Amino acid sequence: MVRPVLDRLRHRLFAPLLVFAVLLTACSPPSAGDRAADESTPVAPVWQTEGTYLSSGSIYGDRVLAVSPGAEPGRIDLVGLDIGTGRELWRYGWSPNGALDMAPRWTVIDRADDAFVVFVEDGGEPWGDYVPPQSLVSVRLSDGRRTVIEERVYMRGYVDTCGPEESKACVGIIDHADQWIGLEIDPDTGVATRKPLDQPHAELGGGLQVTIVDTGAADPDEELRMVRDGRVLWTLDSRETFGRTILGAQTAAWDRIRKGDGGSDRNTESEAEDGSDSNTDSGAEGDSAWLMWVRTGDKQDLGASLLTAVSATGEVLWQRRGMSECLGAMGVEIEGLVRVCEGWGQAGAADARFEMVLLDPMTGYTVRRHRLDPPETDVEAAGQRAAGMPTGHKVVTVDGTPQVLDTRTGALTPFDPTTQLCWDPVTAAFRGAKDALEMGYRVVPCAGEGTDRTLPRSLVEQWTDEAEWVTVLRGDKIFAYRR
């Protein structure tokens, strides 16, 4: 029965999967005096790009990886820039590989002598009801040397780092003989060690796999597995755990979370569904867990979602229904708390309710909750988000008015959009997608676009952390700022 299942899976797009690696850390905001002094000192850009870009770019050593419109309509290119000058060094067609509402994905393999980016290349073929075969390539960041790893194959899942010191790349494919094959790739040579997979699966990242189980039904079952060095550490049945398959879900997201300092001052007003009130030892990886959010209904239903925490040993720690991503994503607040939103009713309905909820990541207990205005259209609608807010502060809408919420105390203060910068979502048409793809965010004044391209020093310091550079999309150009 495996072959019919593979045919069914091939001829429909896999639902998009978001994979994040989030480490909970506590940080201290600068003093009010220091912050005021920083904000009064604008930083001018060192360089700006000449062409049109769709993202702020990601910095890897002395290179910047960004996406840009290609030469043909509907094409999107992955571009390598020099961090010192902004000069374009190379560009190749990039493909979302079926993840049609995701930001651009690629995997960088850092070697002692050089770094390589591995990604799915756009072959220019028309897309119909399924993703066409595409090529997997590796590009050396220093000079743009392109190496083809596999030509015209069906990719399943996303490329993940693997091997000793994460020096190799791994991905699952369906080869020309309709066999599921696992590739372990040397990104320098492009040579891939091939091994048949005992079960077809998609890589989620961080060792997580979704394994397809052929039950003979039209919609096959799944197992969620944690795999390290070829060894299966634990397995969960997707339908039993989440009530549905992950690959069949309209939206799914994973966060790796680690309990930080604090977060133990619990309020038991809302407990985990299993009633648990204790932390669970998560084994060799310490106090950590995987947090899974899956949408179980349409985007207009604010409560159609399930949040599940799975320990490092595969134990379901807790589940909460009605929890969804909040203000752009599942977030990490100070005190080691996870920020999500809880909703009731339909978006835009008069009786809809929506709250920001801060949870203890190990128990699912609600530590604090804050009332927000419910979304007007759907729970995943992208929108402007304020940049450079102090730690623990978020711009939210309450009673129709944007306000700054202190998530630690619940205090609300007026938000002045004329004095703030905001992240504004950037979308672009890809020829294989029915809807525009969200590519990233540009920085704009919250009250509208302007011509000033300086940034407050506090934002440059915040974005660069310990790094020397930060790159930001302003308008359709990338601007680089230096510490």
Side-chain angles (χ1 to χ4, degrees):
M1 292 297 295
V2 174
R3 183 65 171 271
V5 172
L6 301 188
D7 291 340
R8 287 196 299 272
L9 292 174
R10 173 182 300 172
H11 292 282
R12 62 183 174 90
L13 293 178
F14 275 176
L17 295 164
L18 287 177
V19 185
F20 304 97
V22 179
L23 188 65
L24 301 193
T25 57
C27 57
S28 300
S31 67
D34 291 341
R35 197 158 55 239
D38 284 344
E39 290 174 352
S40 65
T41 309
V43 178
V46 177
W47 53 259
Q48 72 177 72
T49 53
E50 295 182 359
T52 298
Y53 285 84
L54 303 169
S55 71
S56 294
S58 302
I59 299 174
Y60 300 96
D62 59 358
R63 295 291 179 261
V64 180
L65 296 181
V67 286
S68 170
E72 298 87 24
R75 171 171 160 156
I76 297 172
D77 288 345
L78 177 61
V79 183
L81 306 171
D82 177 71
I83 186 61
T85 64
R87 182 170 61 92
E88 181 179 312
L89 303 176
W90 49 263
R91 69 164 56 215
Y92 297 103
W94 166 88
S95 170
N97 189 32
L100 297 183
D101 68 351
M102 293 183 58
R105 295 187 61 84
W106 54 74
T107 298
V108 172
I109 311 295
D110 199 3
R111 295 283 189 86
D113 53 345
D114 213 330
F116 302 83
V117 57
V118 180
F119 61 98
V120 178
E121 191 174 49
D122 179 16
E125 294 189 43
W127 288 29
D129 294 331
Y130 65 95
V131 180
Q134 299 170 98
S135 295
L136 185 67
V137 301
S138 173
V139 173
R140 189 162 60 190
L141 296 191
S142 59
D143 59 4
R145 187 199 69 186
R146 171 181 170 274
T147 302
V148 177
I149 300 166
E150 289 281 336
E151 286 187 324
R152 294 181 56 77
V153 294
Y154 292 97
M155 240 68 63
R156 284 297 172 251
Y158 303 109
V159 182
D160 194 16
T161 55
C162 62
E165 299 181 347
E166 298 189 330
S167 61
K168 295 188 176 182
C170 287
V171 70
I173 66 169
I174 303 178
D175 69 6
H176 303 294
D178 279 345
Q179 299 298 310
W180 287 74
I181 302 294
L183 302 182
E184 185 177 275
I185 304 157
D186 183 323
D188 187 9
T189 63
V191 174
T193 302
R194 304 166 67 91
K195 60 179 181 180
L197 299 176
D198 58 342
Q199 292 176 294
H201 70 259
E203 299 282 351
L204 299 187
L208 282 176
Q209 295 178 352
V210 172
T211 300
I212 299 157
V213 179
D214 183 14
T215 60
D219 188 9
D221 200 2
E222 295 173 346
E223 288 180 345
L224 179 71
R225 309 193 303 180
M226 171 59 71
V227 180
R228 292 284 169 78
D229 299 323
R231 186 165 59 96
V232 178
L233 302 185
W234 51 260
T235 300
L236 293 174
D237 183 278
S238 291
R239 293 190 190 277
E240 291 180 2
T241 307
F242 310 115
R244 63 176 306 144
T245 57
I246 298 172
L247 293 180
Q250 294 176 322
T251 305
W254 279 102
D255 283 351
R256 171 105 183 266
I257 56 175
R258 182 166 291 131
K259 186 176 176 60
D261 295 333
S264 59
D265 182 18
R266 302 187 190 94
N267 184 325
T268 57
E269 63 174 350
S270 179
E271 297 184 355
E273 282 196 347
D274 64 1
S276 170
D277 60 0
S278 62
N279 279 339
T280 301
D281 184 273
S282 53
E285 295 194 349
D287 230 3
S288 65
W290 290 90
L291 195 64
M292 170 68 179
W293 169 62
V294 59
R295 178 152 50 84
T296 58
D298 62 52
K299 293 187 292 185
Q300 291 71 38
D301 187 343
L302 303 182
S305 56
L306 177 67
L307 192 63
T308 303
V310 181
S311 77
T313 57
E315 178 186 0
V316 175
L317 300 177
W318 52 265
Q319 290 186 308
R320 294 282 301 269
R321 297 193 180 279
M323 300 287 176
S324 63
E325 293 187 319
C326 191
L327 304 182
M330 284 186 287
V332 175
E333 293 295 317
I334 56 175
E335 306 171 293
L337 303 180
V338 175
R339 183 189 73 247
V340 291
C341 276
E342 186 171 16
W344 300 264
Q346 295 289 313
D351 59 350
R353 293 166 52 204
F354 207 59
E355 296 180 347
M356 178 192 295
V357 183
L358 289 97
L359 305 176
D360 183 297
M362 294 298 132
T363 66
Y365 280 117
T366 297
V367 179
R368 287 188 294 277
R369 59 172 64 239
H370 309 290
R371 182 179 66 86
L372 308 178
D373 288 357
E376 288 294 324
T377 55
D378 64 72
V379 73
E380 295 177 29
Q384 235 180 40
R385 294 186 289 120
M389 287 289 104
T391 302
H393 292 70
K394 301 293 176 186
V395 176
V396 299
T397 303
V398 180
D399 297 329
T401 304
Q403 301 187 60
V404 179
L405 169 68
D406 185 335
T407 61
R408 297 163 295 185
T409 66
L412 291 168
T413 55
F415 174 69
D416 183 0
T418 64
T419 62
Q420 296 286 339
L421 293 173
C422 276
W423 292 106
D424 199 42
V426 178
T427 60
F430 178 74
R431 56 183 182 74
K434 295 179 181 178
D435 301 314
L437 293 164
E438 185 176 312
M439 308 304 296
Y441 286 82
R442 64 168 54 92
V443 172
V444 299
C446 297
E449 184 59 285
T451 58
D452 181 14
R453 293 300 186 246
T454 62
L455 285 180
R457 180 165 297 279
S458 58
L459 287 188
V460 174
E461 297 290 333
Q462 171 188 320
W463 288 333
T464 57
D465 193 16
E466 298 301 321
E468 183 181 2
W469 293 87
V470 61
T471 54
V472 175
L473 188 67
R474 310 291 304 270
D476 60 8
K477 312 294 182 187
I478 296 176
F479 290 75
Y481 302 84
R482 202 168 191 170
R483 269 176 87 91

